[in-house]
Amino acid sequence: MRMDGTLRDGGDAAANAGTVQLLVSDAGNRRAIAGMLTDRFEVDTSSTLVDADLYLIEDRLLPEYRTALRSRVDESHPTFRPVVLIRRAGGASVDPVDDEGPLLVDEFVDAPVDRALLHRRLRSLLVRRRQSEELMQQVSALEERERELRRFERAVEEAGNAIALLDADGRIRYVNSAFESTTGHAEADALGGTLNLLDPRETTFDGVFWRTMRERGLWEGELVAEHRNGTGYVADATITTITDAADEVEGFVAVLRDITGRIQRERMLTEREEELDLLRQILTRYLRHNLRNDLNVILGNAEFVVESAADEVATYGDTILRKVNRLLETADTARRYSTLIERGGDPSQYDLSAVVTDVVAEARAAYPAASIEVDVPESCTIMAGDGIRDVVAGLVENAVEHNDQPNPWVEVRLRPGDRPRLTVEDNGPGIPKHDLEAFDAGHESPLSHSTGIGVWLSKWVVEGAGGEFTFDTGPDGTRAIIELPSPGSGDTDGIDVTDLKAREQRLRTIIDRMTDAVIEVDASWRLTFLDSRAQKILGVDADTVLDRDFWEVFESARDTEFETVYRDAMASRTPDEIEAYYAPLDGWLAVYVYPDFDGGLSFYFRDVTERKTRERKLEHRQDVLREIYEVVADRERPFAEQVESLLALGREELEVDFGTLSRIDDDEYTLEVVDAAAGRHDLAAGDTLPLSVTNCEVAAADEETLVLGDVERDAPELTDRAGYTDWGISCYLGAPVFVDGEVYGTFCFYDTESRGGQFSEWEVTLVDLLSRWVSYGLQIERDTERLNRENERLDRFVSVVSHDLRNPLNVLEGSIELAADSGDPDHLARAGTAIDRMNALVDDLVKLARSEEIDPDLQVVSLAAVVDGSWEVVPTDGATLTVATDRRIRADPTMLGQLVENVLRNAVVHGGETVSITVSDVEGGFAIGDDGPGIPAGDREQVFEMGYSTETDGTGFGLSIVREVADAHGWELTLADSPEGGVRYEVTGVDVVEE
């Protein structure tokens, strides 16, 4: 029986683990193995190869499925798709090697199948597969990011606008190719500089500007700049901030678009509109005044014709005809020029020499009696509108037609240059004074108006092309002068310097007032303007609030800091600013108040709630860090109290119930310091737990901070631990603590309530910081202990030098003196013994200086021989020694000699000159007693302490050395009363060598 289909028992855990296709020929075996897997994996048992994450195949089926498996594996490459081979016991050998490519089989499992082993191997392979999938996703994301960057780079490089990237200090770090074409500055010249290179004479883009930019994020405006070749231009500039993931400003991007041509066209259009308005004014006045006068003449003559005799009709008829013809000529002129003006268009190139030559030729033919002279170059190209020929023709015809001299003459001269000049001069009667006044003033008036409409219209055509039209008239004639731009006069021709300076001033004003929203009020606090951003921020509609009282519309601003600042600015007429909380928005506003020229105020403002929130967070974090510093800087507080304070501080900041410092010893977890919320007594300092039940095991094993906002969500594999099942720990944030480079334990916080989200970056950083300080504090404690031990060793070293060497030195000195005095060689033998003793002590001193603990060199020694040798180097005066032992023991001979020598010396010093000392056996050791004054029972625990002595010149190290020697050998040293009445030192636990 075959088992086809998919087994899905095990729910989400199986689905998340991966799909395993099981290929086993025997149905019973297939069911058995599938049963092992369904609680952990999604199992497919169909015989047709499917798109599985892992293939588990029996060895005898490998030849049948080899090609199909190879195809599946190759299709997945480079994503890992594992194949596991089940090897049957005693089955025919199947070669897993594929000659056509890499090794097909990734892992082997021997039959009969061990369930736990199978789970581990499949999980391991599926983890590798998930990692390879994630890696491929990351690679794909990186490739897509790279493609986006390339597209962005192409877009930036191919953009027609100049683009510059600047660092946080306003220094240029990148420019595109359009930057050079727009500004004239090459990349090499621009990099490292500032945007002030756009106009070297100004310092608009200084530190104040960039600090303002960091605050407000965006600046837009028109920038008057200077090309590197010295010509001026106007750019539409936008500068925005570049921020990182933490919303910190990393730099700026500036985009410049040359709008010089647009500005010229806008100005020309404005001037054109003004000219058209003036044209309408003139035509209206002309039709209302001049034409009315002429019509009145016509009307009067017509009436007279009706009333007069017939023979005078011809005379009056001639008058009528002249006036009518004049009206027709005037109307024709006005119609022709107004058509040219209305048609407008951008200036084009014309050969003015050819235009003048043609016009003069036509004038000579029309007025043969006049002398018309011409002086023009062979060619002279100008920039002008379509009406330039009508202008030249009108000037020449006007000079000839109105010339009433007997010998009329006209001279036409053209001089080339950057702005070619055309002069038309005649010897006629000149232009009437009232016409010149109107012409020079640039407008008509009720008492002064021009009848020479053609001259007016010629002036507009010339100036519309960026030229100039002037008259010089007198009793001897008139000189009309026209200057027109040439094609090579530069893109900035026509931009008035005064106009540029005005724009520059406006730019500075914009920079000073750079903000998001604008409100304006007049001197009586009536709202006169609200832009769209002000309406959006404040939630008002301009149509409903304009012309209303400011304090009525924004009543919530009354009796606040805002009202004080606003009214002061209105009264003092000085700028001011305020940043304060505004209740209707439940947020903060930054407002810049500027007096206006009309007596009112302008408010430039933006919502800074987000920034204030960040600032409050930063201030709070600074307060937390300050508290931490105050705790750790308090050297008077014990380390445990400092840790407890840090745990309380961290627990409050993280809003959890528990904070602990733990120590890990192998598999044992000990709570050293615990801080818990009121009423929570679940855990206490000193509690010991198995490490395996804690989340801290993971943090310690990985040696990195473990962040679990929700244990079940973030680490479901930890939900079977007692920390979760028994104590209900649902969120956890902990970091390992290190001492001497090894994990000491953990510094962690946890709660029985999970978090909706994750611990914040600040919270994780805080715990990392605290754990590092605790590591540092523990390291200092350990180093201090180590240093104290070193100091103690040094003290012992010095004490031995000053104490134990003193005896043999005294013996040596006395023996040498006696030998010198008596010549007895026995004294020299005694000196030699003292020298040997000193050499042995020096060896022990070296050992003491190089190691923390003394390691005895155990040998079988005669206790009596050691006692006799020690007695020889002790100044005994009248003291007597009885050795009542023949025991042999295991001991370090030198160290045993130190012990005996210090006890003997102590007995001689404190027992008097005739003290009697006895060395005898006791059970498990030996004893040294005397008949001296003894040691009071209350002082017996102190006599072995280093530095303790009852003698004014004693060092207090003798008996402490005795204790150290006994401890080094593992012996027990006690004090008792001697049978002779003195003190008895009993050394037990000695390894006695039986005969």
Side-chain angles (χ1 to χ4, degrees), residues 655-722:
E655 297 181 347
V656 297
D657 282 353
F658 297 97
T660 63
L661 169 64
S662 69
R663 184 182 74 253
I664 297 174
D665 298 306
D666 297 326
D667 294 330
E668 190 174 78
Y669 179 87
T670 303
L671 299 174
E672 290 199 333
V673 184
V674 177
D675 182 80
R680 300 303 302 264
H681 306 295
D682 310 55
L683 301 171
D687 288 352
T688 300
L689 312 166
L691 179 61
S692 60
V693 306
T694 70
N695 297 325
C696 294
E697 181 184 28
V698 179
D702 294 342
E703 295 190 1
E704 61 183 24
T705 303
L706 180 61
V707 184
L708 303 173
D710 185 329
V711 174
E712 183 177 12
R713 178 195 66 205
D714 301 333
E717 67 276 8
L718 299 179
T719 55
D720 59 353
R721 299 191 176 209

Side-chain angles (χ1 to χ4, degrees), residues 294 297-298 301-302 304-305 310-327:
D294 289 343
V297 174
I298 295 173
N301 281 278
F304 191 78
V305 168
D311 55 354
E312 296 181 3
V313 171
T315 301
Y316 296 117
D318 289 341
T319 302
I320 293 172
L321 289 174
R322 285 197 304 272
K323 295 296 183 180
V324 169
N325 287 332
R326 180 180 174 187
L327 286 174

